[in-house]
Amino acid sequence: MKKIVDYNIPTHIYEEEANKFGHHPRWDDYVQIRKVLDGCGPYGFFLTLTFQYEISDEEGQQAIAKVWRRTMKKVLGRRWIKKGVNPMTGIAVMEKAQIFDRSSREFGSCHYHLLVHDHPSLPRDALAAAAKLFLAFTDAAKQLTAPNRRRQLVSKHGVNVIAIGSGESPAFCKYVAKEVGLKNWRWDDRVFYLGKDGI
């Protein structure tokens, strides 16, 4: 599990808390996960990435990592690492949903919700920052192709960006933690830290 690379947030809490979490059938575990997610905030943006074809969890992780690296390149500039610019950070939470009525997967195909911290390279106006992030995220997602490499993996409706207002982080953490009670939910399989290398 990778640590978040944010310069304002202590990283030791993530690994300590993550080691406590396995399967989460109890309400207090759900509440605790929400607190840990909220403790990684405050967040400035909520992003969603959905795929229009069924893909495996591993393919989904590769896709979200690639999209995040490309998004940072578009927002921070081509040689941002060599220029010493800090990466954009946050958390990606994988969820499962059926894409088709007759899906071949018991728990559905993956999609991602991202809670992203504000960054000095984004405009100070929340709407302008969300617009810049949306354009970069959409452009990065458009470059993904399905495993057969003939079709786009993400449709034009598969990307969404919302600016998170002051004090709204807990509500978004509650939303992304909604699958915690499922028997197949594990922290290590579902929560990824966004940073320089994607996830």
Side-chain angles (χ1 to χ4, degrees):
M1 181 168 50
K2 291 185 179 181
K3 293 181 183 179
I4 196 166
V5 193
D6 187 29
Y7 32 84
N8 295 320
I9 298 174
T11 57
H12 67 281
I13 65 163
Y14 307 133
E15 290 176 0
E16 290 170 10
E17 292 299 325
N19 289 333
K20 296 178 189 176
F21 303 134
H23 295 287
H24 303 285
R26 298 189 336 237
W27 173 256
D28 57 334
D29 289 332
Y30 164 67
V31 172
Q32 189 63 25
I33 289 285
R34 284 172 42 191
K35 287 181 182 175
V36 172
L37 290 171
D38 192 38
C40 299
Y43 304 103
F45 307 94
F46 174 75
L47 290 69
T48 301
L49 182 71
T50 58
F51 307 106
Q52 60 180 343
Y53 304 104
E54 287 187 337
I55 60 172
S56 69
D57 295 352
E58 294 78 22
E59 290 169 327
Q61 290 171 22
Q62 291 170 1
I64 193 66
K66 194 178 290 185
V67 167
W68 190 244
R69 287 192 303 269
R70 289 174 177 169
T71 299
M72 285 193 293
K73 188 175 183 180
K74 291 175 185 311
V75 172
L76 306 177
R78 284 183 157 267
R79 299 169 59 83
W80 65 272
I81 295 172
K82 289 191 176 187
K83 292 177 182 176
V85 176
N86 286 318
M88 295 173 64
T89 58
I91 290 180
V93 179
M94 183 181 70
E95 287 188 355
K96 301 285 191 105
Q98 298 292 352
I99 297 177
F100 308 111
D101 290 337
R102 294 184 181 153
S103 175
S104 61
R105 301 178 192 277
E106 181 182 357
F107 298 108
S109 189
C110 61
H111 64 275
Y112 290 87
H113 296 298
L114 288 69
L115 296 168
V116 177
H117 301 117
D118 196 7
H119 193 277
S121 295
L122 291 169
R124 294 301 86 209
D125 176 70
L127 291 177
K132 182 174 183 176
L133 192 53
F134 177 76
L135 291 174
F137 195 57
T138 302
D139 193 47
K142 275 194 234 176
Q143 296 176 40
L144 293 176
T145 56
N148 65 11
R149 302 200 181 275
R150 294 185 191 151
R151 297 172 285 189
Q152 278 186 290
L153 188 56
V154 179
S155 74
K156 64 180 178 179
H157 303 293
V159 176
N160 192 29
V161 175
I162 299 171
I164 298 176
S166 177
E168 291 182 339
S169 280
F172 285 92
C173 292
K174 179 180 177 181
Y175 180 78
V176 301
K178 66 184 178 290
E179 290 190 355
V180 166
L182 299 178
K183 67 178 181 177
N184 65 330
W185 199 98
R186 289 186 58 86
W187 177 276
D188 290 348
D189 297 334
R190 297 290 191 108
V191 181
F192 306 94
Y193 300 110
L194 301 170
K196 179 179 70 127
D197 299 321
I199 61 170

